[in-house]
Amino acid sequence: METTKKPRYGINSYEEWVEREGLRVAKGISLDLFEVETADWPRYGVKAAVCQFAGSGDYNNMFVIELPAGGSTTPQQHLYEEIYYVLEGRGSTQLEFSDGRKRSFEWGPKSFFGIPLNAKYRHFNASGTQRALLCETTTLPMIMNIFHNDEFIFNTPGEFSDRFGDEKYYGGEGDLYMVRPGNNVWETNFVPDLATIELTPWEDRGAGSSNIMFVLADGIMHAHISEIAPATYKKAHRHGAGTHVLTLTGDGYSLLWDEGKTDYTRVDWKHGVVFPPCDGQFHQHFVTSENASRYVATGLGNLRYPLTEKKRRISFAKDGQKQAVSRSVKEGGDQIEYEDQDPSIHEIWLEEMRKRGITPRLTLPVPAGVR
Ligand SMILES: [Fe+2]
């Protein structure tokens, strides 16, 4: 038997799609989204870029969408999920339901929202003089690699009305589910300002840490916001790839490293800097000012729909043990307690604090075995 066809092996349908779309690609371990160069994206009718991070993983990607002054996207509809964050500018998003109803909500800097799966939507810039810059984390890589069919993904009618949620969810209201630290959920579709949303304590992740988990538009995507107390830092931990950490407020930096290594990759914080840690890579976030710092993280699998065994393991307490994401590696978890970390990590931070003239508010416990 003979064939003249070339073998089609090892296809990444998502990467092929990016090429077909002619999208501008930005690559890096981390990227400052304000600095990412955008180019015309005919599908959206505006300028855009797609980010390809070292730690993007297989399931998620991130787009940067730039709405020109007075501009809007063309209407969109697709079978992948997305969570938006507004980097700068003001505008609105209009959803159109199959019964003809329309629903709009207005966003501004640091707004955060989910679009219900396959809902028809369109973004408008409210300013006639300033651009609006948005980013979105999506499940497109996963969906494209499953179906590898543009027509199906972008042009299938029908909607998931069970995901629209309560009417108040588009007004910035929501429902709070208090379960336990690290498992508290704010369900909504729209958060007006991530800088001011109230968080709940999660001391296991570090002195003065607080957070809230989100369920947006009843989707399967992960989203949470964390705050680190002034002049302190969180404990290191690890999890799967694709959790896009976006720094929101405050001054600081993060360190990333592979297990057993001490050659730390450092990412300095600035609003709009994004870095998804690689699969299983330890990472740790440090504040170097008298102000609290916040970041938001988006990825795959949340507390309502964890989706993977890995996500269940890190997210839920089981058999009387804390969830792996906040349990010591010595107890089979994925967190490094302060007393077990490489001493140079604390020294690097103290040096940064000295340089800035900030008094540290975190004293380490005595390491195990040291008197
Ligand atoms: Fe993390």
Side-chain angles (χ1 to χ4, degrees):
M1 284 191 290
E2 276 186 36
T3 177
T4 52
K5 281 187 178 173
K6 278 188 180 171
R8 273 179 59 80
Y9 296 148
I11 303 295
N12 185 327
S13 302
Y14 164 68
E15 287 180 2
E16 289 191 346
W17 175 84
V18 168
E19 220 174 296
R20 277 200 304 282
E21 292 285 305
L23 271 159
R24 176 72 57 94
V25 179
K27 294 183 182 182
I29 291 170
S30 68
L31 289 169
D32 177 351
L33 300 185
F34 287 99
E35 300 294 324
V36 166
E37 258 187 64
T38 57
D40 286 338
W41 186 18
R43 181 182 295 281
Y44 263 59
V46 294
K47 286 186 169 185
V50 65
C51 302
Q52 205 174 86
F53 295 101
S56 285
D58 292 323
Y59 307 125
N60 300 121
N61 73 347
M62 180 173 263
F63 291 108
V64 177
I65 309 284
E66 185 175 351
L67 302 177
S72 60
T73 62
T74 51
Q76 300 297 317
Q77 182 176 29
H78 45 69
L79 284 167
Y80 58 88
E81 290 189 11
E82 56 189 346
I83 295 175
Y84 278 92
Y85 172 72
V86 181
L87 291 150
E88 69 178 19
R90 292 186 182 279
S92 63
T93 294
Q94 186 181 72
L95 297 161
E96 191 180 336
F97 304 118
S98 59
D99 61 5
R101 275 185 312 131
K102 288 182 178 171
R103 185 72 170 88
S104 284
F105 55 92
E106 292 180 4
W107 39 257
K110 298 190 172 71
S111 291
F112 190 62
F113 55 91
I115 302 287
L117 186 67
N118 213 39
K120 278 187 192 160
Y121 69 93
R122 194 172 178 185
H123 305 307
F124 297 86
N125 184 352
S127 169
T129 54
Q130 308 278 323
R131 72 170 184 175
L133 194 66
L134 290 79
C135 66
E136 52 161 331
T137 314
T138 88
T139 56
L140 176 58
M142 175 175 73
I143 298 300
M144 189 55 80
N145 273 305
I146 290 173
F147 296 110
H148 53 86
N149 184 302
D150 298 11
E151 182 64 16
F152 176 68
I153 293 169
F154 291 97
N155 202 18
T156 293
E159 62 192 8
F160 295 80
S161 53
D162 53 324
R163 298 191 184 211
F164 295 166
D166 197 299
E167 180 69 13
K168 69 181 181 184
Y169 290 176
Y170 293 110
E173 294 299 313
D175 288 304
L176 179 66
Y177 301 100
M178 293 291 287
V179 180
R180 67 171 68 81
N183 278 180
N184 298 328
V185 169
W186 178 244
E187 178 171 15
T188 187
N189 292 0
F190 172 64
V191 180
D193 186 353
L194 285 181
T196 55
I197 187 175
E198 196 179 330
L199 310 183
T200 62
W202 193 8
E203 289 283 329
D204 282 346
R205 288 286 297 115
S209 280
S210 56
N211 108 323
I212 199 83
M213 299 288 185
F214 294 106
V215 169
L216 296 166
D218 200 29
I220 58 166
M221 288 187 68
H222 172 91
H224 80 265
I225 176 170
S226 290
E227 183 172 295
I228 314 167
T232 67
Y233 60 83
K234 290 183 79 162
K235 297 173 186 175
H237 76 172
R238 64 184 169 192
H239 45 69
T243 300
H244 290 65
V245 177
L246 190 158
T247 62
L248 295 172
T249 61
D251 301 302
Y253 65 93
S254 297
L255 297 180
L256 303 101
W257 69 96
D258 295 325
E259 185 165 15
K261 303 273 175 60
T262 52
D263 52 336
Y264 305 115
T265 298
R266 175 174 166 154
V267 178
D268 286 313
W269 282 39
K270 176 179 168 286
H271 178 219
V273 166
V274 176
F275 56 98
C278 297
D279 190 30
Q281 193 174 40
F282 281 106
H283 49 282
Q284 193 162 8
H285 310 303
F286 303 81
V287 174
T288 52
S289 74
E290 295 284 7
N291 301 314
S293 289
R294 286 186 170 201
Y295 63 86
V296 66
T298 44
L300 186 75
N302 55 40
L303 288 172
R304 178 170 296 165
Y305 306 111
L307 212 66
T308 61
E309 178 52 34
K310 206 171 192 173
K311 199 77 189 181
R312 286 189 183 87
R313 187 187 112 81
I314 65 166
S315 304
F316 298 107
K318 198 181 167 190
D319 303 330
Q321 287 193 305
K322 286 184 275 191
Q323 59 266 53
V325 78
S326 61
R327 178 166 22 110
S328 169
V329 286
K330 291 189 301 190
E331 295 164 19
D334 292 315
Q335 175 166 273
I336 299 175
E337 298 300 320
Y338 289 132
E339 60 268 34
D340 300 324
Q341 69 189 24
D342 171 10
S344 75
I345 282 177
H346 194 64
E347 287 306 317
I348 294 168
W349 180 67
L350 288 178
E351 181 56 25
E352 289 295 329
M353 299 294 272
R354 266 193 294 272
K355 273 195 240 166
R356 289 168 169 76
I358 308 288
T359 307
R361 297 195 205 171
L362 178 69
T363 316
L364 288 191
V366 178
V370 177
R371 291 173 186 235

